[in-house]
Amino acid sequence: MKKCTLLALALAGVAGLRPATAAPIKIGYSDWPGYTVMEIAKQKGWFKDAGLDVEMVWFEYSPSIDAFSANKTDGTMIVAGDALVAGASGAKSKILCLVDYSEGSDMIVGAPGVDSIKDLKGKKVGVELTLVEHELLLQALKVNGMSQSDVVLVGTATDKTPQALASGQVSAIGAWYPISGQALKTVPGSKKLFTSADAKGLIFDVIAVNPTSYAQHREDWTKITQIYYKCVDYLMDPATKDDAVKIMAAKVGADPADYAKNIPGTHFLTIAEAKQCLKKSDDMMSIYGSMKLSDQFYMDNKVYKESQKPSDYLVPKVVNGLK
């Protein structure tokens, strides 16, 4: 029996497959379009086709980070800056795949009668503190010659921001699509005041991986990265886009037509574009420059004390080795 078992394991290794008894690789994902695109791979069976045992685990965004930090998932789809926060708290990661950068889907949305960022002076703004919309708000304030002290921050879970805006508790909120879209729909007269299209490169999304899992399953993670870009190609191909949008919209309970209109707010990266963004530079369109800005934001807001170096997290050879 032992010989048979050993032979089966050996054959599995030769075939590039994980042993049947091995636990699946668990990846956390949530409702951001750049993450939900992986639902395509899940439904099309692409992981199994590649000889992989992958379990995509659905969360709200913040709980996905908590699960990764608690070692309940092997990898997570996350904002690059938030990977630094998790790392500073002890959940170090290796960033293997550049997923996208936000190009309009992250928004500061104003209540009726609030027509500009400057109109927010002295008013309350609901954001999830020290997360990505907080950083976007600070960028919006900076561009308009203002600072954080010019507004009153109200800590609000991102999925609760539409209700906060509708109730009149705040004069503006920060949220990402589809939640930002919900706010615009449910509050008549609300409007976009500032979006990530006004700050391209500020918000990169990535797949962050537990270093031990990466060390043990390098080939598997390379395949997973390749599959991510296969999902992007499927979404971008006019012949398959409608099917891709239908799959993604269904996962978040959105109308496919509305979802399709909001796809351009997320710049899904192709392999070639990801390689460009992995070039070292202080420019915001380089993942290195973008993460450096985020690192400063977190230190300024006392989220952590010791600087987190992007080079300690990024593993560019994975994407750079893809064709």
Side-chain angles (χ1 to χ4, degrees), residues 222-236:
T222 298
K223 289 180 180 179
I224 290 167
T225 301
Q226 184 85 58
I227 287 171
Y228 175 79
Y229 295 113
K230 183 178 179 179
C231 291
V232 171
D233 291 342
Y234 193 81
L235 175 62
M236 294 296 124

Side-chain angles (χ1 to χ4, degrees), residues 16 30 47 72 78 113 117 145 148 164 167-168 183 215 253 256 268 291 306 317:
S30 52
F47 296 119
K72 293 180 179 178
I78 187 172
I117 293 294
Q148 185 165 289
S167 68
F268 297 83
M291 289 179 72
E306 186 177 343
K317 67 180 180 181

Side-chain angles (χ1 to χ4, degrees), residues 204-222:
F204 271 97
D205 292 285
V206 301
I207 298 178
V209 177
N210 178 289
T212 301
S213 181
Y214 174 59
Q216 293 175 346
H217 308 294
R218 289 175 189 263
E219 185 178 341
D220 288 353
W221 281 111
T222 298

Side-chain angles (χ1 to χ4, degrees), residues 108-111 114-117 120 171-172 191-195 198:
I108 306 301
V109 178
V114 178
D115 298 319
S116 69
I117 293 294
L120 293 176
S171 296
K191 61 182 69 65
K192 303 175 189 178
L193 304 180
F194 190 89
T195 80
D198 302 309

Side-chain angles (χ1 to χ4, degrees), residues 66-74 91 210:
D66 295 339
F68 180 70
S69 298
N71 292 318
K72 293 180 179 178
T73 57
D74 302 290
N210 178 289

Side-chain angles (χ1 to χ4, degrees), residues 260-274:
K261 291 177 185 175
N262 285 278
I263 287 290
T266 303
H267 190 106
F268 297 83
L269 293 168
T270 63
I271 293 174
E273 289 173 328

Side-chain angles (χ1 to χ4, degrees), residues 278-292:
L278 277 164
K279 292 181 178 179
K280 287 188 177 182
S281 167
D282 285 337
D283 186 88
M284 204 156 62
M285 282 303 298
S286 162
I287 186 67
Y288 290 90
S290 180
M291 289 179 72
K292 185 177 178 181

